[in-house]
């Protein structure tokens, strides 16, 4: 059904479909799609080890990883983002927004909802950032920038992406790219 919905839209082309993590590993050994769309759990297990494997040797741009979660409250969704997922889609959003999320991820952007912004904020707030002899606090590339903290705060408070973009003096694409940078951190 999902394949039919995607192919009904102009643009995306489905080049393969598998139903297990083992089959996904075999498929990805033969080809590298632009986008991997996956549920968080498949019949033979969770996809987190597969996501981690795809991102293990540094961040690879391909395939882009979009996960399907039952809810933005699913703790496995945050785990997927920590394991390298570039974006997500939940059933609360429309089928049309799934194709939009796919296109957004393929354009280097990532979606974010208020719930996920709160979870990401909590993740970074819980991090213990000790001083390093090698990198000063202001140069630590894993810390959120002031603009990234504002983006998360405003999104968590329910501001719409356009409002966040105007406040940050950027456009919607810029916000999506900043969200992707936050997920990468």
């Amino acid at each position: 059904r999902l394949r039919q919905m995607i192919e009904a839209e102009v643009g995306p082309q489905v080049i393969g479909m598998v139903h297990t993590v083992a089959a996904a590993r075999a498929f990805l050994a033969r080809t590298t799609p632009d986008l991997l769309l996956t549920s968080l759990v498949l019949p033979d297990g969770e996809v987190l080890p597969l996501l981690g494997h795809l991102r293990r040797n540094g961040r690879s741009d391909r395939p882009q990883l979009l996960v399907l979660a039952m809810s933005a409250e699913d703790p496995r969704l945050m785990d997927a983002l920590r394991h390298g997922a570039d974006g997500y889609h939940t059933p609360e959003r429309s089928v049309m927004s799934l194709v939009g999320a796919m296109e957004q991820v393929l354009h280097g952007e990532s979606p974010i909802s208020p719930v996920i912004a709160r979870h990401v904020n909590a993740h970074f707030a819980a991090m213990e950032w000790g001083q390093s002899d090698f990198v000063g606090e202001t140069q630590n590339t894993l810390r959120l920038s002031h603009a990234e903290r504002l983006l998360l705060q405003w999104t968590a408070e329910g501001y719409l992406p356009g409002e966040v973009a105007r406040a940050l003096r950027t456009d919607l694409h810029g916000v999506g790219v900043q969200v992707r940078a936050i997920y990468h951190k």
Side-chain angles (χ1 to χ4, degrees):
R1 192 185 95 186
L2 189 57
R3 181 183 199 147
Q4 291 171 336
M5 291 185 307
I6 293 168
E7 289 181 340
E9 296 299 316
V10 176
Q13 177 187 0
V14 178
I15 63 167
M17 190 169 72
V18 297
H19 300 285
T20 65
V21 175
R25 286 184 186 279
F27 175 77
L28 292 169
R30 294 187 312 270
T31 186
T32 305
D34 293 326
L35 176 73
L36 173 65
L37 177 64
T38 182
S39 179
L40 289 170
V41 179
L42 296 175
D44 62 341
E46 292 193 11
V47 299
L48 294 180
L50 175 62
L51 299 181
H53 170 76
L54 290 170
R55 297 297 193 231
R56 182 177 306 140
N57 298 325
R59 284 231 34 120
S60 171
D61 287 341
R62 286 188 59 207
Q64 300 293 313
L65 306 172
L66 182 67
V67 295
L68 303 173
M70 291 308 297
S71 158
E73 295 288 350
D74 186 336
R76 292 175 297 194
L77 177 52
M78 279 301 297
D79 287 340
L81 292 171
R82 282 192 285 274
H83 279 79
D86 297 300
Y88 64 92
H89 186 270
T90 58
E92 302 92 54
R93 302 176 69 203
S94 71
V95 172
M96 291 300 293
S97 71
L98 172 59
V99 174
M102 292 169 59
E103 290 173 350
Q104 188 178 23
V105 166
L106 287 169
H107 287 110
E109 305 169 29
S110 293
I112 191 165
S113 69
V115 170
I116 295 299
R118 286 190 288 277
H119 287 299
V120 172
N121 246 341
H123 170 78
F124 280 96
M127 300 294 292
E128 293 187 24
W129 299 100
Q131 285 282 21
S132 166
D133 292 338
F134 302 105
V135 179
E137 286 300 302
T138 59
Q139 297 173 332
N140 186 339
T141 58
L142 297 178
R143 281 188 173 268
L144 295 176
S145 70
H146 179 67
E148 290 167 337
R149 286 192 307 275
L150 288 174
L151 185 154
L152 288 174
Q153 175 188 336
W154 292 333
T155 302
E157 291 173 1
Y159 288 88
L160 298 173
E163 294 170 317
V164 173
R166 280 191 299 282
L168 294 175
R169 294 193 171 111
T170 188
D171 56 13
L172 289 175
H173 176 71
V175 169
V177 169
Q178 280 187 303
V179 171
R180 173 75 62 97
I182 292 169
Y183 290 165
H184 285 188
K185 290 179 179 184

